[in-house]
Structures are given as C-alpha cells and as structure tokens.
Amino acid sequence: MSALCDPPGGARAPLSAQELSQEVKAFLSGLDPAQGTPLSPAAHARCALRLLRCLPPARHAALQHLRGLFDEQVCAHLLQREAGAAAAASPGAEALQEARRALAELVAANPRAWAPGVAAWASELMGQLSSKYAGRPGVPPAASLNELLQLWMACPATRALLDIYSQCLAAMAGSCPDACVDALLDTSVQHSPHFDWVVAHVGSSFPATIISRVLSCGLKDFCAHGGGGGGGEAAALGDKRAPKMASVVGILGHLASRHAGSIKQELLRMFRESLGSAREHHKATVPFLLQLALLSPALLATVSAELVDALQPPVLNQLHQHFSALPRDELEATAGVAVHLLCHASAGALRTLRFLLATAAPASVIAAPGPALREGVREACERLLQLLLLHLQKLVHGRGGAGPAEAAARPVPFLEALRPHVRELCQDALRLERRRGLWQQQLLALLAVHSAPHGAAEALFFLLALARTPEELALAPQLRAGLRAVLPDPLPAAVAAAVAQIHAGRLPEPQLAQLLRNLALLLQPREPEGEPGEPALGAALARHLPDLAQLLLHPRPEVAEAACRLLAACPLPRALPPAHLLPAVRAAVRRFFAGLRRGDAAAPAPGARLLARLSAVSPAAAKAVLAQLVEAALGGRDAELFGEAEPDGRGEAAAAAAPGAAPASLLDDNRRLAGGPSAAGGVWSVFHGGVIGRGRRAAGGGARRGAEELSRNTQAFLSLLLRCCRGAAVGAEAAKAVAAALVEAVCPEAAGAELAWPPEELARATVERDLRILRRFRRQPLLFPLLRLVAGGRPALCYCSVLLRGLLAGLVAHWDACRAGSTAASPWHLRASCALVALLAEGSLLPPVLGNMHELFPELAPFEVHLLLLSVWGYLRDNSPLPQKFTFQPRLGAFRRDFGRDADLGKHLAVLHSVLHRNIHRLGRMAARFYP
C-alpha cells in the first residue's frame, strides 16, 4: 500500500484491478488500507490524481476533491500575507504542482476529451474562490482590477488554475473553443465582478479568440432566450432574457482599452454578415448589437464612428428589407432603442448627424452614381431624425426639473459632442436647404439651451458672423426669440463674444466686415412700418463703443466702412465719459475724411451720419466733434481735399525724403495715442513739425483735384458742420467751438488772446504774425467758408478777432503797396477783401452801411480800397468786436447787436462818402445805400 502513496515521479505503470480497488477505497475512506491511519491531505490528493489518470468515471469526484486542495492553499496564502510572514513551502504546495502537471498532461494528451471539462472546472473554481475571499482583509475591492489581478497572480493556487484554463483554451483554439468560452461566460455571470480579473487576464492573452467567441456565445445565448424573434423589445429586455449579456459586456469592456480595434472589426464583421442572410441567428444580430451598445457606452463609442461609413446605399437597402418584416410595435421599439443610443453616443456625433440629414433630405435631387436608395429608407431616416429631435428636447428641457446643479450634472452626450462644432452647425443651418434647415435650426436651439449660457451666445454670434444674405440673417432673430422663452436674453453675451473675438484677432477681415454689416442691418428700422430695429442689440453695442470705435481706424477699408455704418445706426448713450467719447470722435473724423478721399459722393455719408449722432449726445460732444473736424480739415493731410496749396518749402522737404520711405505723421500718432484733447492754445499745446532726419512733413496729397471735386468736398464738410451745430444745445456755443478751433489751427500762438482791437502802435508788433495769417488764408480756401459759418452763429465771430485783424492788416498793407491801376490786377486780394467785409457785416461786427462797401471794391482803384479798409480798421478799433455787445432776443431766438449804442458812425463814413463822390459817374446808382 505504501507504493500507492509514493509520489508520481517514477514510471507510471497501469494499475491492476486489485490496486485500483484499493485506491478507490483509500480515496473514499481517507485511510491507508495497509495501516489504517488517516491519509495526509497531500497523500489524499495524490490518490485522487491517480484515479483521475486511471479511472475515467472517477474524474468528477477527483476534481471535486482537488477543489479542497486549492481552497486550502489559497487560504494559507492569504493568512501568510495578512501576517506579513515569508512564504514557506508545504506538502500541500507540492501536491498542488503535481495536480497542475497532471491536468496539463491529460489535456495535452487528449484535448477534445479533457479540455472542456477541465476548463469548466478551473473557471468555476476560480470564480468560487474569488467570491469566497473577496471580503477578507487585504483583498482589494473589485473595482481595483489591477491590484486584484496582482494579488491573485501572486497566489500559487489561483495562478495554477489560470494556467490550467489557459492551456485548455489554447488547446481548443484551433478547433472549437466555444465550450471553454461558455464556461468563462457562465462563471462571469455568477461571480462578477469578483471574477473580472480572470476575464481581463484571459482576454489579454487570447484577444482574437476571446472577442470573436464571446460575441458568438453571447449571440447564441441571446437567440436561445428569445432575442432572435424580435427587434426592439428583445433589445430593451435583453439584460433579463439573456443572462450572459452582462458578462459579454463586462468582458468586452475590459478588453476595449487595449483591443478596441479588434472589437470594432469583429462587431462590424458580424453586422455585415447578418445583412441579407436568412439564418436565424443572423436575423438576431442587429438586435443583439443594439443591446450590446445599450448596455455598454464604451462599445458604442468604439463602433459608432465607423458604423456611419459602413451605411452605404446597399447596406441601407438591406437594413430596410430586414426591418420591414417586423411588426409595428417591435419596429417602434427598435427605433426607440436606436434613438436612445444616438442620444448617448458622443464619438462621431457630427458625422452621424450629417449622415441622417443627408439621407432624410438630400441637398440635391440629382442622385449620386451607384445604387439608389429606396423611398422607404428616406422615410425611415426622416422618422428617426424626428424622434431624435423629440427625445433630445425631452432630455434638454426635462433635465432642469431638480435644479440647475443636477441639470448640469446630467449632460446629454450627443449634444456635448456637438459643442465644439457650433460653427459648422451654424454654417449648415445657414444654407437653408429645404426641410433640412428646419431640423438644423431645432438642433441648434437645443444645443444652445443645453450648453447655456455660453453656448447660446456662441451660436447667436456665429449666425450673426456667417450670414451673407438677409434671409440667412433672419435666422439669428428667430433663434434668439426661441431661446428667450427658456433663457435670459443671449444677445448681450453674443455681442460681448463678438467683441472678444475681434480683440483676439480670430475673425478674418472679410468675415469681420460681414459681421459688422449684419449688425448694422439688424439696427435699421423695419420697413414698411418704420419700426425701430433691435433695441436690445443697440443697447448691447453701446456698451462696447470704445472697442467698436477702434475699428474705424482699421487698415482694410471695407472693415472700417462697415464699422462706421454700424456705429451710425447704433443708439448712443446720453452720458459718455470723455475717455470713450474723444477716441470715438477722432476715429469718426478720420473715417469721414477717408470717405471724401474716395471721390464718391455717397462715401462720406456714413461718417457724416456718425459724427452728427455723436455731436447730439451732449454739448461737450458737439464741441469735440466740431473742433476735431476743423483741426483735421486745416491742419493735416486732409487739407488738400479742400484745395490747399503747397506751402513754401514743403515740396523741397518731400523731395529730400528718402525714396520709398513710408509716410510718417507724428500728428496722427499723437492723435492715436493721446488719451485726451490738447489744451486750446497756450504753452500746453504741442505741434509736430516733422520727422527727425526727414525734415518737415511732406504733403499727403497727390495730383491736384478738380474744381468740381473741391466744391463737392467743401459742400459736404460744411453741411456736416451745420448738422453738428444744430445738435448742440445753443447755436452760438457751437459756432464758438468752431471759432476756437479755427484760431487754434491757423494761429495757435494767439489762441486765447484778447478780443479787443489793439491800437496801431501795438498792431505794428504783430506784422509777422499777420503775414502768416494772410498766407494761410491764401493757401487754404476753406477758411472763408468756415468764417462765414461762424458768422452765422453771432456773436461767435468775435472769438476770431485775431484772425480778422491779421487778415485785414495784411490786405491793408497789400493795397497800400499796390501800384496797379485797377484792383483786377490782384484778383485773390480783391476777393479776400470783399469776403472779409461781407463776413464782418454778416457777423454784426460792422453796421450795414459799412458792411455794404465790398460791393464797390471791383470798381475802385487799389489806393481807394486801401482807404476804405482803413476806415473799417478805425471803426473796429473804436468799437471792438466783443460778445458783450450782443443781446439775446427770445422772440427771434438769436443774438442781435444794437449799433445805435456805438461811437459816432459819421467819422468812419467820411472816406466812404468821399470815394463815392469821386466816382459818382460810375457808382451813383449805389450811392443811396451808403447814407444812413
């Protein structure tokens, strides 16, 4: 009997019938037949192994007995680990290795007979041991798969069982591994999640075999439990009808991280093979795949993107034929499952959406080359798209019932995946393609609500920026109207997003111009009712006036013009701080003159309209607009638009500049960088005379402009000034602002000087200044119209006293030195003398009798004009042009001057009467006009 208990290391001779009988008695009784003593666990296990080899009917009993050996070894390993003791060899460990070798030899000798049973035994035992010891101290939780795998792989007993199962699966992989895989699935159903570590290890070792066989076994179980007869109902209840479905999902979920490509290929292969096949399990493939996707978001993400590419017209026609035979209720259930999966799919969401739209409502009626789609396919796809939108609407509007926090914690995966593609969705919606446009607008509204508040503003911004026609632009108000029913108005946030995009430079220049034009179009009054545009849009844009005003200086003309049209249509706030107002005024002035330079009569209209609206904001705004306009028209490169002649020396300075050098303007730089206006005259004014190394600034103009263009420019400029003057609170104040700007531009060193006419001894000290003023009037024809405008706002002309003195002094000196026989020899001086006297009369600085003398100048000799101008000088010296001499008459609504209070007028008329008498033969017809 001792020979029976020897270790199986020697030769293994067949046992006789008597020896076999003794082995059976020893195994059943657990006693040594010869000595009657109990067998040790190792000896008892060896007895079971001998019966396993020699007595096939005893294999189940022997394997059942070996369970105890493995259980004992697992328990011992865990106790040693808990105690922190080093692993020690035991007789049981040696018997364990003998059992592993014996089972491996049996499987290798006859795989077909031994592998299925041994695999089932090993997998079931691993499941039982994993579940039994799951709660022991030191055993990681089932969620920590990596730690759990390290624990059981360090245990000799479980590692031996895993090796035994792997050898069985490897032995059957070439023929029929279904039995081994079935055993793995059955155990996973019973002992998951504690058994997941086995699934993870086996799947990583045999990915191709496990993936294909797990899917095959899962499909068979799905058909066996009623999943093959129906579509949607079986898919919806598959977790109850097919017990192995959860195990299939778990196994594939473990393998998806490393073998997603293999899983995807196998799923697509099963899908393609099922189409057009009449076999029963092929009919159940699509419901089976739907159920897998329903239970596993990871599998859905793995296959959803590539599935769209596989749905070509032949495949769609086969799917339609496959589902057309189903009852209506099962078909509706299947559609519901498909919609549920679409809502919870994130991978390839945009591609899936475009596929559904293109299939349900193709953009072109001309069919593409290849097999045509059946009409039922389009109807089914349209139905699916409508159900998808309806389900998304329920998810979006129903998720906020428990409060914003819970709503934000339950995002819709399909819409979450579309959030980065808002621009593409807006582009698709703006194509306005048949029925497809309505679905796209509904989806865009749902996405805006789902990702509110930023998503709503982003969608509205892209619609405003991408629209190219009024029909396309109408989508933005429609979307806003729908969103305002469930959200706060997204328009202010959309405007803020647009300004942020402009600041970041993310908008191409054509798109930026289009955005500005679209905003301006929305602000226009609606025809034919004449209702105002979007008031909320105007209020939102007004808050960003400084940012939008910067666009008036954009180097691209179309962008600057679009910004000007937008600001001209935008309602301006009544109280603008100077830091916002002055840069806007300065930029609008630049825009107006840029329109004049284009030579088109309609080009300066937007800039003029904007300046008129800016001047109407407040009296201070009107003064700033008038001052900037006059300064730009007289002191910059825009002066040539009104016929300014080149001053002496400027041509030489321009020729001395380096050829090809970029034009430089320090004044423009100062205007662009300065935060406030320059002080009106005095020592605080700064004037840039040129560029170091290049000399004086060269004139910016090119060829001389025609008389018609100069007249048109002058008329447009003066019309704008008149509009801005009417926008001020008092007309005289606006004219005073123009007068101050005139003095600042022509004679800055005399700005703020005394208004009283100086005596002759003091006038001699200003000869050089007077000559400069005279040259400036001769070079810039715009000065006389500007003075005429100032004269219309009495008593504002008094503030131009220094200019009038200098001009009059220069003309008096010219006629004094002129030796020509007629005033026609000095045409400009004649025109200037007539214009000056007419101005003084119009501004009520001269009485009407003296103010009419300019009508005589063309008929007189130069010395006579000199005498008459001296009489004008004497009258102004005795009756200084002061604003205090004017009184406001409410009945007329204007200022008037009473000349009866002035000094004796007769002495100033003596020269005039003498000249009339000397030329009575020619001027007699006008003599009556010069006697008071």
Side-chain angles (χ1 to χ4, degrees):
M1 187 62 198
S2 60
L4 296 178
C5 298
D6 291 339
R12 296 171 182 171
L15 297 178
S16 62
Q18 183 179 2
E19 292 175 335
L20 191 58
S21 175
Q22 291 178 353
E23 290 289 348
V24 171
K25 292 179 181 179
F27 175 73
L28 294 176
S29 63
L31 299 175
D32 188 336
Q35 301 177 3
T37 58
L39 293 173
S40 65
H44 205 167
R46 293 188 183 99
C47 182
L49 289 174
R50 282 191 289 271
L51 291 178
L52 189 64
R53 291 194 190 99
C54 302
L55 189 62
R59 69 174 64 177
H60 296 293
L63 290 176
Q64 185 67 26
H65 177 77
L66 291 177
R67 288 175 183 268
L69 176 65
F70 282 89
D71 191 353
E72 179 185 353
Q73 293 301 310
V74 169
C75 183
H77 175 75
L78 294 177
L79 288 175
Q80 289 179 357
R81 189 172 182 273
E82 293 171 8
S90 63
E94 184 179 355
L96 185 71
Q97 295 302 322
E98 292 176 5
R100 187 185 66 80
R101 286 195 298 268
L103 291 173
E105 292 172 359
L106 292 173
V107 171
N110 192 353
R112 189 176 297 274
W114 284 95
V118 174
W121 170 81
S123 62
E124 183 181 358
L125 182 55
M126 284 188 289
Q128 292 176 353
L129 294 175
S130 300
S131 298
K132 178 179 179 181
Y133 295 104
R136 288 289 295 268
V139 177
S144 304
L145 187 61
N146 291 331
E147 298 179 8
L148 198 63
L149 186 61
Q150 293 177 4
L151 170 69
W152 293 123
M153 290 299 292
C155 177
T158 50
R159 187 173 66 246
L161 288 172
L162 195 57
D163 292 342
I164 293 171
Y165 177 84
S166 299
Q167 185 176 358
C168 294
L169 184 59
M172 297 296 293
S175 56
C176 183
D178 288 357
C180 299
V181 176
D182 274 339
L184 190 68
L185 290 178
D186 292 337
T187 307
S188 180
V189 170
Q190 297 177 7
H191 299 284
S192 182
H194 309 295
F195 187 70
D196 290 349
W197 69 274
V198 179
V199 176
H201 184 273
V202 174
S204 300
S205 301
F206 305 91
T209 301
I210 288 296
I211 291 171
S212 61
R213 295 306 172 179
V214 162
L215 287 173
S216 176
C217 294
L219 179 59
K220 290 179 182 179
D221 184 72
F222 185 76
C223 295
H225 289 82
E233 183 182 0
L237 301 175
D239 57 336
K240 296 180 179 179
R241 294 185 176 185
K244 293 184 181 180
M245 184 63 70
S247 182
V248 172
V249 170
I251 293 173
L252 295 180
H254 287 310
L255 299 177
S257 59
R258 293 188 179 181
H259 305 284
S262 300
I263 296 175
K264 177 175 58 181
Q265 293 177 3
E266 187 62 27
L267 292 173
L268 293 176
R269 183 194 63 79
M270 291 180 64
F271 173 72
R272 294 189 184 97
E273 287 183 355
S274 67
L275 298 176
S277 176
R279 300 177 65 180
E280 190 65 27
H281 70 280
H282 282 164
K283 292 182 179 180
T285 299
V286 174
F288 171 70
L289 295 179
L290 288 176
Q291 174 62 17
L292 278 181
L294 193 65
L295 296 177
S296 176
L299 294 180
L300 177 62
T302 299
V303 75
S304 59
E306 283 71 13
L307 185 60
V308 175
D309 297 333
L311 296 177
Q312 299 300 321
V315 176
L316 291 174
N317 291 334
Q318 290 176 350
L319 278 176
H320 178 262
Q321 183 179 2
H322 177 81
F323 284 106
S324 60
L326 293 179
R328 184 177 182 83
D329 55 345
E330 293 185 4
L331 191 60
E332 291 293 333
T334 302
V337 173
V339 168
H340 180 82
L341 292 176
L342 287 174
C343 291
H344 290 80
S346 57
L350 181 61
R351 192 169 10 166
T352 303
L353 174 64
R354 286 178 172 173
F355 163 76
L356 292 174
L357 291 170
T359 307
S364 175
V365 295
I366 302 176
L373 283 176
R374 297 180 180 178
E375 188 62 28
V377 175
R378 301 195 186 280
E379 295 177 358
C381 195
E382 180 179 348
R383 173 65 175 164
L384 190 63
L385 192 57
Q386 292 174 349
L387 290 175
L388 174 62
L389 291 174
L390 182 60
H391 192 62
L392 287 174
Q393 184 176 4
K394 292 179 180 178
L395 292 176
V396 169
H397 293 286
R399 62 178 186 151
E406 186 175 347
R410 292 184 297 169
V412 181
F414 185 78
L415 296 179
E416 281 290 321
L418 291 178
R419 287 185 64 176
H421 305 286
V422 176
R423 179 188 176 89
E424 292 88 338
L425 292 175
C426 291
Q427 287 176 332
D428 295 342
L430 288 172
R431 292 192 179 98
L432 305 177
E433 295 174 344
R434 300 173 63 188
R435 293 177 300 171
R436 188 189 302 190
L438 297 177
W439 295 328
Q440 289 167 335
Q441 295 172 35
Q442 294 178 23
L443 181 66
L444 196 60
L446 291 174
L447 181 59
V449 175
H450 175 268
S451 54
H454 303 293
E458 186 180 9
L460 195 58
F461 159 70
F462 281 121
L463 288 180
L464 292 173
L466 299 175
R468 296 183 178 274
T469 63
E471 293 77 11
E472 294 178 1
L473 184 59
L475 290 184
Q478 293 175 11
L479 176 65
R480 175 182 172 235
L483 294 178
R484 290 185 65 184
V486 293
L487 294 175
D489 191 359
L491 193 56
V495 172
V499 173
Q501 293 282 341
I502 294 172
H503 270 302
R506 296 173 184 169
L507 292 179
E509 292 174 347
Q511 186 176 337
L512 173 58
Q514 186 66 48
L515 170 63
L516 298 175
R517 286 193 292 267
N518 290 340
L519 293 174
L521 188 60
L522 289 177
L523 289 174
Q524 296 296 330
R526 298 173 185 146
E527 298 293 343
E529 297 85 356
E531 298 179 1
E534 294 286 347
L537 177 60
L541 289 171
R543 288 194 286 269
H544 300 279
L545 177 62
D547 304 309
L548 297 175
Q550 293 180 6
L551 296 177
L552 297 173
L553 304 176
H554 200 279
R556 289 290 291 266
E558 59 269 23
V559 176
E561 182 178 357
C564 186
R565 293 183 182 275
L566 173 60
L567 290 175
C570 177
L572 301 175
R574 300 303 302 174
L576 274 176
H580 294 174
L581 175 65
L582 295 175
V585 169
R586 195 174 295 118
V589 169
R590 291 277 299 275
R591 186 67 242 151
F592 170 74
F593 285 107
L596 284 181
R597 285 186 173 278
R598 290 177 54 183
D600 185 5
R609 188 162 56 249
L610 174 57
L611 286 169
R613 300 198 61 219
L614 285 170
S615 66
V617 171
S618 64
K623 293 180 181 179
V625 170
L626 294 172
Q628 292 290 334
L629 281 172
V630 174
E631 178 185 355
L634 297 179
R637 59 180 180 177
D638 297 314
E640 57 93 14
L641 293 171
F642 309 101
E644 180 191 24
E646 272 194 19
D648 297 338
R650 183 172 292 187
E652 291 80 355
S665 174
L666 296 180
L667 183 57
D668 288 345
D669 294 341
N670 180 266
R671 286 171 176 169
R672 185 164 52 251
L673 300 176
S678 299
V683 298
W684 304 109
S685 297
V686 179
F687 304 94
H688 302 287
V691 180
I692 296 175
R694 298 184 186 177
R696 299 176 62 187
R697 280 187 295 112
R704 300 287 297 177
R705 300 180 183 272
E708 182 180 356
E709 182 180 359
L710 294 176
S711 176
R712 185 174 64 246
N713 292 343
T714 302
Q715 185 64 32
F717 180 74
L718 294 177
S719 300
L720 175 58
L721 284 181
L722 287 174
R723 291 172 64 184
C724 296
C725 288
R726 286 197 300 269
V730 181
E733 291 296 325
K736 179 180 176 182
V738 177
L742 271 173
V743 175
E744 181 77 20
V746 177
C747 189
E749 67 271 18
E754 290 292 334
L755 302 183
W757 215 264
E760 292 187 7
E761 57 271 13
L762 294 180
R764 296 190 188 99
T766 60
V767 173
E768 183 179 358
R769 186 183 71 186
D770 296 341
L771 291 176
R772 288 203 308 268
I773 292 175
L774 179 66
R775 287 195 296 267
R776 189 70 177 270
F777 270 85
R778 188 170 186 176
R779 193 173 74 244
Q780 292 183 323
L782 185 62
L783 286 173
F784 281 108
L786 287 175
L787 283 176
R788 192 174 302 116
L789 184 145
V790 173
R794 296 182 291 263
L797 193 61
C798 299
Y799 296 96
C800 294
S801 178
V802 63
L803 301 183
L804 300 175
R805 287 199 306 267
L807 179 59
L808 182 57
L811 292 173
V812 168
H814 171 78
W815 294 120
D816 184 29
C818 182
R819 296 297 179 263
S822 171
T823 55
S826 301
W828 183 88
H829 293 83
L830 176 61
R831 291 194 302 270
S833 300
C834 295
L836 175 60
V837 175
L839 277 172
L840 293 173
E842 185 177 356
S844 296
L845 301 187
L846 287 179
V849 179
L850 288 177
N852 294 331
M853 71 170 59
H854 66 278
E855 299 176 5
L856 307 176
F857 289 172
E859 306 294 335
L860 302 178
F863 79 94
E864 294 173 327
V865 175
H866 170 255
L867 293 176
L868 292 178
L869 291 181
L870 282 178
S871 65
V872 171
W873 183 282
Y875 179 83
L876 293 175
R877 183 186 64 240
D878 296 340
N879 303 278
S880 295
L882 299 176
Q884 295 84 347
K885 296 183 177 183
F886 291 81
T887 58
F888 183 73
Q889 298 182 4
R891 184 175 59 85
L892 300 177
F895 286 90
R896 287 290 183 266
R897 179 177 175 180
D898 185 7
F899 289 98
R901 300 179 180 179
D902 292 344
D904 183 20
L905 183 61
K907 65 177 182 179
H908 302 291
L909 294 176
V911 176
L912 173 62
H913 292 162
S914 175
V915 171
L916 282 172
H917 291 162
R918 186 177 183 276
N919 299 279
I920 194 65
H921 59 286
R922 289 183 295 112
L923 304 178
R925 65 185 185 279
M926 294 185 292
R929 301 186 58 192
F930 299 98
Y931 287 90

